Amino acid sequence: MKTLLLGANGQLGRSFVEDGGLAMRGELVTASRDGNRFDGATIGTADLAVPDSLPTLLDRLCPDVIVNAAAYTAVDRAEQEESLATRVNGEAVGVLSRWAAAHGALVIHYSTDYVFDGAATVPYPVDAPTAPLGAYGRSKLAGEQALRSSGAAHFIFRTAWVYAPHGQNFLRTMLRVGAERDELRVVADQVGAPTSTALIVAGTLAALDAWQAADATQRRELEGTHHLVASGHTSWHGFAEAIFAGAVERGLIARAPRVAAITTADYPTPAKRPAWSVLDNTGFQQRFGYALPDWQSGLNDVLDALVHQRA
């Protein structure tokens, strides 16, 4: 099995590289927008902002599996750059998918809770009606639709509130700002499931293993859209308090700042966020026989990884 990993420098792509699980399952080829990787390796170039450039790379590599961890993720900036966001998150996914359909390859693609409007009060099932509130959500929904309509064998894994020991994310921002200030104001009326990239990697590998072990009929039953998120839920405020408690316990910061709870209205942003971002992950767990632990478990693992990095 030859796997092409796109977006090798992003939060999720880097986690795939560092985990090593894809490489253990066959030949792994990685690509980034500029052809360089975070660890200094020179790799393939794949710029999803130029979708027409992708077939040349695919024809040269002929992957059996395409893992698309590349995305436009600047939620607020997407309000002014919707065409670019749609090109990366929508049109490029269509190009990848049509190539995969013509060559019998599997596409593994990641989507988001932002395809929903956040008006629910119970976890969103996979087949819940989509209604994105902003440009980013619309661009990601366009990618989902392009992949489904291509006829390619595929997994769409929707996830949410993604973070890692590396990259730009809420956890790393909280630790940096929390070490500098005595008090922070954090939104308490947006609810979701903080999900570590390590969980997404592990869940993806479990699904890929199940798919490889299945016959053609079973594969079709496994494929499709799934919610790959941690279990449980909290608010951004609750997540921040848990981050600081765990960081103090591990000596990552000297003391926890006071975390004041505010409303979304108190912290206006260019893009409207869904108030309820909880995705129902029971289908994933049942389909692949893989448990998705509570979000606190992933937080503990990431904080432990940061301690190890400092050692």
Side-chain angles (χ1 to χ4, degrees), residues 237-292:
H237 178 269
F239 189 27
E241 291 204 311
I243 289 168
F244 291 129
V248 169
E249 180 182 340
R250 290 165 175 80
L252 290 168
I253 56 175
R255 50 97 186 105
R258 179 174 177 270
V259 184
I262 63 171
T263 67
T264 298
D266 295 325
Y267 189 74
T269 57
K272 188 176 181 182
R273 267 82 171 159
W276 178 264
S277 285
V278 186
L279 305 181
D280 185 348
N281 64 12
T282 55
F284 181 96
Q285 298 183 82
Q286 293 167 356
R287 186 71 57 88
F288 301 109
Y290 187 84
L292 297 172

Side-chain angles (χ1 to χ4, degrees), residues 108-120:
I108 299 176
H109 177 67
Y110 299 90
S111 192
T112 174
D113 55 305
Y114 277 65
V115 299
F116 298 115
D117 63 10

Side-chain angles (χ1 to χ4, degrees), residues 162-240:
V162 179
Y163 67 102
H166 51 260
Q168 296 182 358
N169 56 66
F170 182 81
L171 177 140
R172 284 170 54 86
T173 298
M174 286 297 101
L175 291 179
R176 175 177 53 81
V177 178
E180 302 167 351
R181 303 179 189 173
D182 294 324
E183 179 175 312
L184 301 177
R185 291 156 42 94
V186 180
V187 170
D189 59 355
Q190 294 174 24
V191 177
T195 301
S196 71
T197 55
L199 179 65
I200 300 171
V201 168
T204 300
L205 294 175
L208 181 57
D209 287 346
W211 185 86
Q212 284 190 288
D215 61 30
T217 300
Q218 293 168 330
R219 284 182 174 184
R220 285 191 292 272
E221 293 173 351
L222 291 173
E223 292 165 11
T225 305
H226 303 277
H227 288 167
L228 178 46
V229 290
S231 297
H233 59 267
T234 187
S235 66
W236 288 115
H237 178 269
F239 189 27

